[in-house]
Amino acid sequence: MNTSTPPNPPVPALQVAVLGIGMMGFPMARRLCEAGCTVSVWNRSRSKAERLQDVGARVTDTPAEAVAEADFVITLLENGDIVEDVLFRQGTLAGLRPGSVVVDMSSIQPRQARDHAARLAAVGVHHLDAPVSGGTVGAEAGTLAIMVGGKPAEFERVRPVFELLGRPVHVGAHGAGQLAKLANQMIVGITIGAVAEALLLCEKGGADMAKVKQAITGGFADSRILQVHGQRMIERDFTKRGAVAVQLKDMRNALATASEIGFDAPITSLFEQLYAQSVDHGLADLDHSALFVELASRNGMA
């Protein structure tokens, strides 16, 4: 008689659709495929989505087709207006399964996230706003910081997917994830400016920027921005990871939200102007650490 414990039955593959296969969507969708999820993908430019066929993704011609069998629908789109267009004007809404969860991992305004959640709830579809931080490096490694707004029960449903991508934290009701992302982007954008200005001051005064960075590492001024973006500044490597144009969008979203709730954000206002001037001066498609270039130009150091 065989008394050994029978093996656990296999866990059904998670059915996930990913809409938007860009710089973040590609590595995130690839991780889901490699983890054994059943993944359908859609992108406006089909060729970007087709890169995922080799890891088992099903490429679709329309977002409605991508979401038809999905339990979880992840959107990774450029801004809130595009998210709204894809969800509500391209037939996606009709294709969503009742009870499924739309997980918007785009960076949009909190009010837009709340509006999308209400409109999806009206047709029996759940919603979480879950923007991320960590860039393409974090997306590839599965170490993203994931800030989630919405109902706790839906957060727990989606947790297995989130944990394939990074470290999720439920921060509050619908829109709270986007608020947390705005806070993240305010800190990132402002700190990039502080690091750039400080390093340029040192170079202008005759100090070696690389040695200055080494000297203050481990002190109170140390940060991931100093280590990662500061090194890019030292090397003058402004290859796009997170674009100046996207940083400007985030600062403007933060200011729009601040205005809506009656909050004065003078520091963010100043940096919104600096990033806007960087865009005006042709830096839009460079990495956001290229604010260094704008500040260097102001000081005749470009």
Side-chain angles (χ1 to χ4, degrees):
M1 180 176 173
N2 186 354
T3 58
S4 62
T5 303
N8 292 327
V11 177
L14 298 168
Q15 301 270 349
V16 185
V18 181
L19 309 181
I21 309 299
M23 290 181 66
M24 295 294 286
F26 176 75
M28 292 167 72
R30 183 175 59 194
R31 283 193 64 84
L32 295 175
C33 290
E34 291 172 346
C37 298
T38 300
V39 181
S40 298
V41 295
W42 171 83
N43 193 74
R44 182 176 57 184
S45 301
R46 183 186 169 96
S47 60
K48 291 185 177 181
E50 288 175 343
R51 297 175 297 164
L52 291 162
Q53 287 178 320
D54 289 345
V55 289
R58 182 173 70 94
V59 179
T60 65
D61 292 319
T62 67
E65 184 184 354
V67 306
E69 300 298 325
D71 298 311
F72 308 117
V73 176
I74 294 174
T75 52
L76 284 153
L77 301 165
E78 186 175 347
N79 56 52
D81 291 341
I82 294 175
V83 173
E84 178 163 343
D85 181 65
V86 170
L87 287 180
F88 302 109
R89 299 195 187 99
Q90 294 196 33
T92 308
L93 188 65
L96 290 165
R97 295 170 58 181
S100 61
V101 186
V102 171
V103 184
D104 187 9
M105 304 186 85
S106 319
S107 294
I108 70 174
Q109 293 185 34
R111 64 170 177 79
Q112 292 175 308
R114 292 190 293 269
D115 175 64
H116 296 168
R119 292 161 70 180
L120 290 168
V123 295
V125 174
H126 305 288
H127 178 275
L128 294 171
D129 50 290
V132 301
S133 181
T136 54
V137 172
E140 290 164 359
T143 58
L144 293 168
I146 306 172
M147 300 149 267
V148 187
K151 294 181 179 178
E154 306 314 326
F155 172 73
E156 293 301 329
R157 277 186 65 192
V158 184
R159 184 190 287 273
V161 175
F162 286 144
E163 290 182 344
L164 295 172
L165 302 172
R167 179 181 56 84
V169 177
H170 182 255
V171 296
H174 295 297
Q178 296 296 346
L179 276 171
K181 178 60 185 288
L182 290 179
N184 182 87
Q185 293 306 93
M186 290 163 71
I187 293 168
V188 168
I190 291 165
T191 308
I192 285 173
V195 169
E197 191 165 276
L199 291 179
L200 283 164
L201 173 71
C202 291
E203 183 172 86
K204 186 79 168 181
D208 184 319
M209 288 198 304
K211 293 296 185 181
V212 170
K213 174 177 170 287
Q214 179 182 349
I216 62 180
T217 292
F220 273 9
D222 200 1
S223 67
R224 185 162 176 78
I225 298 294
L226 175 66
Q227 295 304 321
V228 175
H229 294 78
Q231 190 62 33
R232 293 174 190 173
M233 296 170 192
I234 290 165
E235 296 174 358
R236 267 56 169 190
D237 175 13
F238 302 114
T239 304
K240 183 171 69 174
R241 289 89 163 181
V244 169
V246 174
Q247 184 68 60
L248 175 60
K249 177 205 73 172
D250 291 335
M251 300 307 250
R252 286 177 170 169
N253 281 345
L255 290 173
T257 299
S259 177
E260 288 167 10
I261 63 176
F263 180 79
D264 183 26
I267 299 172
T268 303
S269 295
L270 171 61
F271 277 87
E272 184 274 336
Q273 295 174 34
L274 292 171
Y275 284 104
Q277 288 160 7
S278 299
V279 169
D280 290 344
H281 295 155
L283 307 179
D285 290 328
L286 297 182
D287 188 75
H288 49 176
S289 58
L291 184 62
F292 178 93
V293 177
E294 172 67 22
L295 297 174
S297 178
R298 287 169 171 245
N299 285 282
M301 300 168 66

